[in-house]
Amino acid sequence: MEENRSPSERGSYNPLQPVFELLQGGDPDRICLKYGIARTQLDKMLTEYQESRRQAALADSFTLSRTGRNDPCPCGSGKKYKKCCLPRHEEARSSMPPDQLQAMEARAREKEKLEKEVQRGFEMIFSLEFDRAVQYAKKQLQTYPEDDRFHDILQITLMAMGDYGAAFGIARTRWQVSLEEKLFFQENGYHKREGVEKNEHVHFYSPSTWLEKFWIAQRARTWSEEYPVQPGSELLKEAEKLRGANDLKRFTGKKEEGLEERRQAFAPVLARLASEGAGAIPCILPLTYNFTWASLFVPDLLHACGTNECIRLLAELSMFRYPYFSQQCLSLLEKTGERALQVIGTVLAENPAFDELKAGLLTVMGNIPCENSFKILAAFTEHENRYLAAWACEALGKHKNPDALPCLEKARERLGALNKIAGAIKEIAESTKR
């Protein structure tokens, strides 16, 4: 078991991991045994971590004198500043050496300025000022080269302008940077580009976030070549009308109610596009490259067409992992039934760098039990990504097939007691008793 292995056998780990496990309710004695450290050392690590977080939180919440005593506290508690953080701030200011206080306040000013600049960039996108947004993001990146928010603004804008190649390059590079920073942080407890003294302004997105953006840009670049759009065509003009669904002044409904409201408003347009079948694909795919109300019309149009080509597009679109949109794609694939499995299997086998985004497709496989889906899921239980393997195990458990038990037991032995695997084994065991 993991607890019985020495730190050298387990390899490197984030120095703060023992603290994180303790804060999550872990047993301190088991944690000490697991990482080969003394209880006094663990206590010291916890104290130092809590102090560092207190200082960081204090530095982040310094707002100088611009917050009035009777104003809402900037921490977001809902209380007045004088009844919340003001006493702590005053105490901290009075106890700190002047040079340290000045440095913290200067950093607070810089951070406040930076947050406003980030907000301004996203507002340009919302206002469809794409040319300005591109120039603005490039200018800010000269000062803040490791702030992913400005990279995001630039990437989103380039996607909206149809420069998929440049957007693809940004997403791929930032994904690689995020992976590097994650590994470095796990080994050292701080970000490489932030520095030991944490003097540099950095803001990193997770590798998963950039992987999604990387995949969307990759698909957009590929599809723009596979499905070229004829500028000015009548069908393109029809598809572009659907962008009117993004008008929040015209449409006030939210969630299912909002979608139905928009579906009724654009019923003639949707009927016209549906009548074109696969011919509408080049015109509707660009609606999906940014998550909007208009993008939510696309899955139903593809499903109505029903070709293997459209099934494949639904599978690849599900990997965009937009809220509701991705689940909509997966539900339609499941509704298609066994006919979709061969296509999904092909998508699962391709583009292995993006395997992390395929968990939803494994779930579809679990909900369509047959020999084909069984074989694919059984193979995925051996995937090198432990969480993807766990998803495959959970999906395989839904088949309630006793033949899956050897695969599940082997996965549990390799991956440890993950809930998804244990639950799958239990589900099959209970089904065989009935």
Side-chain angles (χ1 to χ4, degrees), residues 17 43 113 122 136 189 209 216 241 266 295 297 304 334 384:
Q17 190 62 33
D43 292 340
K113 175 175 175 288
F122 280 109
Y136 182 78
T209 296
I216 295 169
K241 291 178 183 178
F266 291 97
S295 66
F297 294 127
E334 188 175 328
E384 61 181 0

Side-chain angles (χ1 to χ4, degrees), residues 239-257:
E240 287 298 308
K241 291 178 183 178
L242 296 179
R243 296 189 187 275
N246 303 329
D247 187 345
L248 300 183
K249 293 182 179 179
R250 178 183 174 187
F251 300 102
T252 58
K254 299 179 180 179
K255 299 183 178 179
E256 291 285 354
E257 177 186 339

Side-chain angles (χ1 to χ4, degrees), residues 95-226:
S95 62
M96 282 184 185
D99 57 340
Q100 183 180 355
L101 177 60
Q102 290 174 6
M104 289 183 67
E105 292 187 334
R107 189 166 180 81
R109 281 194 297 269
E110 179 67 16
K111 182 176 181 181
E112 187 174 354
K113 175 175 175 288
L114 175 58
E115 295 299 323
K116 290 181 179 178
E117 289 169 345
V118 170
Q119 181 179 355
R120 183 183 176 195
F122 280 109
E123 286 174 351
M124 290 179 188
I125 294 176
F126 300 146
S127 301
L128 306 182
E129 300 176 80
F130 298 136
D131 289 331
R132 284 188 63 206
V134 166
Q135 297 306 316
Y136 182 78
K138 289 180 177 179
K139 180 180 178 181
Q140 294 300 328
L141 285 169
Q142 293 176 6
T143 306
Y144 307 107
E146 300 303 337
D147 194 312
D148 270 340
R149 293 170 297 185
F150 290 121
H151 287 287
D152 191 17
I153 291 169
L154 182 57
Q155 201 258 356
I156 291 173
T157 306
L158 291 171
M159 288 288 290
M161 297 172 71
D163 192 347
Y164 306 132
F168 170 85
I170 292 171
R172 178 177 59 183
T173 298
R174 297 313 297 177
W175 172 62
Q176 292 169 336
V177 168
S178 65
L179 286 175
E180 180 184 334
E181 285 293 338
K182 179 180 178 179
L183 292 173
F184 188 90
F185 185 88
Q186 288 174 337
E187 295 177 1
N188 300 278
Y190 67 93
H191 288 292
K192 177 181 178 181
R193 290 165 175 79
E194 183 181 34
V196 171
E197 300 300 325
K198 300 184 179 181
N199 292 326
E200 299 297 324
H201 283 285
V202 300
H203 187 107
F204 294 112
Y205 287 178
S206 69
S208 179
T209 296
W210 277 118
L211 185 65
E212 292 172 25
K213 293 177 178 293
F214 182 12
W215 172 247
I216 295 169
Q218 193 247 45
R219 288 294 87 198
R221 189 177 70 163
T222 300
W223 289 338
S224 66
E225 297 175 356
E226 293 181 358

